[in-house]
Amino acid sequence: MILFAGDAHGDFVPVIEEAGEASAVVFLGDQEPQVSLVDELGPGVASKAWWIYGNHDSDYLNYFEHHKSMADRNLHCRLVEVEGVRIAGLGGIFRSNLF
């Protein structure tokens, strides 16, 4: 099972609670992590998580910084295969200037 989740807006508890049996978790933007994304998710979920930026992930510079711990799991302009399913990502930030 692959769990797709969007718009956590800093509250990862519901996703973590549902992620137990999932083989992968794909965050569809607007994570807004308050600390390192790895720390937000914990090692069990972080090890199987993928993500793309959402439009609110650029609201504050620290949100960008907090994604760095999982930069290798960013799906933007990338294709991965999970359980035989190909998943591609396109981040949701299209601003002309970021900070």
Side-chain angles (χ1 to χ4, degrees):
M1 172 182 77
I2 302 170
L3 174 64
F4 290 86
D7 298 291
H9 294 288
D11 181 10
F12 296 92
V13 173
V15 177
I16 292 167
E17 289 174 348
E18 294 298 322
E21 295 185 28
S23 57
V25 178
V26 179
F27 288 92
L28 303 172
D30 292 346
Q31 288 79 241
E32 298 179 37
Q34 303 300 305
V35 297
S36 158
L37 193 53
V38 168
D39 292 339
E40 290 276 20
L41 300 176
V45 176
S47 65
K48 58 185 177 182
W50 299 89
W51 60 273
I52 58 171
Y53 284 119
N55 61 310
H56 289 290
D57 289 316
S58 66
D59 287 350
Y60 299 98
L61 181 58
N62 64 333
Y63 294 161
F64 272 136
E65 295 294 320
H66 295 156
H67 280 88
K68 284 184 179 180
S69 63
M70 292 184 59
D72 62 322
R73 306 297 277 196
N74 184 352
L75 284 171
H76 180 69
C77 293
R78 187 172 169 194
L79 176 72
V80 297
E81 188 169 320
V82 177
E83 288 190 0
V85 176
R86 295 187 312 175
I87 303 169
L90 179 61
I93 299 174
F94 302 100
R95 295 181 181 173
S96 60
N97 287 326
L98 293 176
F99 307 105

